[in-house]
Amino acid sequence: MADAEDEKASTGEEQHHQHLSSSTGDPEDPQQTAPSEGTEQRPAEVAVARPQRSDLSVEPSLLQFKTRRFFVLRPGTLNQAIKDVVALVNEEVDGSFHSIWLMAEVDHWNNEKERLVLITDNSLLVFKYDFVMFSCEQFQRIPLNIIDRISHGQFSFPKNSLLQRQGEGVRMFWDRLREPSFISKWNPFATDFPFITFTDHPVRSVSDTFTALCDIQNFRERLREAAQKAHAVKPFPGKANGVLVLNQPIHIEAYVGLMSFLGNQNKLGYCMARGNVGY
């Protein structure tokens, strides 16, 4: 009888121990501890994956929004513009078409103006193209065999000037003996300068296509090669047969330039969407 009672007591203790183990969980059993660990770690993982408000930046989105406002980025616009300006190449005068570039012209008052630029056998063609109406408004033809100097470097202004400009420019000269008149320097609409200046277009970093189209260093080298060939094939009387390339500051002799400041800040020289109006 004593053995039977001891066996019952032992059996009761084992059942009680198993009941406690099933309700509290054995800490040495991985199958029981895993769910609790997963439950404890999940909120931490979610907190790590979710970006904090302070880490978010609106600058890339704002930059992308500003860039997308340029009409040259609209689907099919660039291809149509290239077709239109290439069709204006006069093969008898200009020769064969070689390359096209999207640039920003900087005038003598520091105003930026959107331009399509073509290099042909004999000419440098600069087009003012309306990307809204798909029409060429005006163009300038510069014979390559009269270009005698190409300067490239950072922009500079007079000591007392209130203006400034970042980036690098390229300037082509074709009549080093002729200096602009005093009236031309102070006339914002004057076009009789013996040089032309280009800099990067704002959409150059949008894609690889536009990076190549707006590559001002590559443009400078291709222009130099084309001008050298034009000098060799058709020398211009009174000019040396060659092009001098100089790495020096691109000087703009402008002082106040309120008009250029407002125009460049608002990109008035470009075809782009401006609220409900595009021009």
Side-chain angles (χ1 to χ4, degrees), residues 209-247:
T209 299
F210 282 94
T211 298
L213 196 66
C214 305
D215 189 344
I216 197 167
Q217 286 81 14
N218 192 21
F219 164 74
R220 183 188 73 226
E221 183 60 25
R222 297 286 294 274
L223 177 63
R224 183 193 64 81
E225 294 175 354
Q228 292 280 21
K229 292 180 180 178
H231 275 277
V233 173
K234 189 178 180 181
F236 191 84
K239 285 187 175 291
N241 293 331
V243 180
L244 183 63
V245 179
L246 300 174
N247 185 358

Side-chain angles (χ1 to χ4, degrees), residues 49 62 125 133 138-139 169 180 185 189-190 215 232-233 241 251 258:
L62 181 60
L125 303 176
M133 301 301 296
Q138 67 183 45
F139 81 96
K185 289 181 178 180
F189 306 105
D215 189 344
V233 173
N241 293 331
H251 189 69
L258 179 61

